[in-house]
């Protein structure tokens, strides 16, 4: 199973108080052309928090402290009945730097009320609104139709809200 992370930096705009999330438009790889949070696959020896912080730095140039990430979700994506990817989701209001485009990603601050779910993975509209409201979620999402995952069809899902994520299923927070 692939172990991956997503990170959703949040800010409150000082002029009108709008709550915004930093999304990326993914320029290559899985989910190319869609909006998502910064994130990616975990490397050997990394914790999930370290992975989320590294991917955020590499993709959009924001510095986040692994310890300042708040665990918001654990999502499992299944493809044709088999576990494909475990995704650990974080959010944070604590970061430094200005978002900068990279080869992999074009960053964009978006109002949390105007997230472009029609240009994202099909499952995101089921769980991301709650995550952006500050809730925690554990979910299983079933896809069918073979590799790659981003060309498979989203079939159905199960969600559990307001769960304790103090410790992940593998024991790593
Ligand atoms: N929002 C959302 N993200 C997803 C879904 N499925 C899924 O794998 N992801 C995330 C997990 C990872 O952060 C990202 C895929 O990993 P990645 O960015 O490293 O993939 P890639 O093929 O570009 O990898 P690489 O070669 O650049 O390392 O997509 C989904 O259904 N919704």
């Amino acid at each position: 199973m692939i172990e991956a992370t997503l990170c959703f930096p949040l800010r409150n705009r000082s002029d009108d108080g709008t709550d915004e999330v930093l999304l990326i438009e993914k320029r290559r790889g899985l989910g190319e052309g869609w909006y998502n949070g910064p994130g990616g696959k975990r490397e050997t020896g990394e914790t999930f928090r370290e992975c989320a912080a590294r991917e955020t730095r590499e993709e959009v140039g924001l510095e986040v402290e692994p310890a300042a990430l708040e665990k918001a979700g654990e999502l499992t994506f299944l493809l044709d009945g088999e576990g494909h990817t475990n995704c650990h989701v974080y959010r944070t209001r604590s970061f430094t730097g200005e978002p900068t485009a990279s080869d992999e990603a074009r960053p964009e601050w978006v109002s949390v009320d105007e997230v472009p779910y029609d240009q994202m993975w099909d499952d995101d509209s089921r769980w991301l609104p709650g995550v952006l409201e500050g809730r925690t979620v554990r979910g299983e999402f079933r896809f069918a139709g073979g590799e790659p995952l981003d060309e498979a069809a989203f079939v159905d899902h199960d969600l559990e809200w307001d769960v304790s994520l103090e410790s992940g299923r593998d024991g790593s927070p």
Side-chain angles (χ1 to χ4, degrees):
M1 188 109 87
I2 295 168
E3 298 289 346
T5 60
L6 287 171
C7 176
F8 292 95
L10 290 157
R11 73 173 185 187
N12 202 244
R13 262 175 55 171
S14 51
D15 51 351
D16 62 2
T18 306
D19 224 13
E20 292 183 322
V21 58
L22 186 73
L23 298 180
I24 61 163
E25 191 184 345
K26 201 145 185 286
R27 288 178 153 168
R28 64 172 193 221
L30 204 63
E32 181 182 338
W34 296 345
Y35 284 88
N36 205 346
K41 297 188 206 79
R42 183 169 67 145
E43 292 179 354
T44 311
E46 254 179 354
T47 65
F48 292 112
R49 284 165 188 280
E50 286 166 352
C51 168
R54 174 185 54 75
E55 291 281 358
T56 304
R57 185 178 62 248
E58 287 176 3
E59 291 187 349
V60 296
L62 283 194
E63 291 292 336
V64 284
E65 276 296 318
L69 294 170
E70 186 186 353
K71 186 82 182 267
E74 282 185 22
L75 312 178
T76 301
F77 301 109
L78 292 103
L79 181 58
D80 298 323
E82 296 202 359
H84 185 282
T85 298
N86 268 331
C87 189
H88 299 251
V89 181
Y90 298 89
R91 65 186 156 231
T92 186
R93 291 183 181 271
S94 172
F95 52 83
T96 55
E98 281 299 317
T100 312
S102 66
D103 291 352
E104 273 180 272
R106 184 184 66 78
E108 188 177 325
W109 287 107
V110 175
S111 162
V112 295
D113 297 329
E114 291 168 12
V115 171
Y117 289 106
D118 59 340
Q119 297 169 67
M120 300 175 76
W121 288 82
D122 278 343
D123 55 283
D124 291 13
S125 62
R126 310 298 209 284
W127 58 269
L128 187 54
V131 162
L132 298 179
E133 279 171 21
R135 299 179 74 184
T136 55
V137 65
R138 185 170 281 141
E140 208 167 84
F141 301 86
R142 288 171 282 277
F143 290 75
E147 294 276 7
L149 185 63
D150 59 0
E151 288 176 23
F154 175 42
V155 180
D156 61 14
H157 70 289
D158 293 306
L159 285 180
E160 210 186 329
W161 287 100
D162 306 317
V163 292
S164 168
L165 298 172
E166 288 304 305
S167 174
R169 270 172 292 201
D170 64 346
S172 163

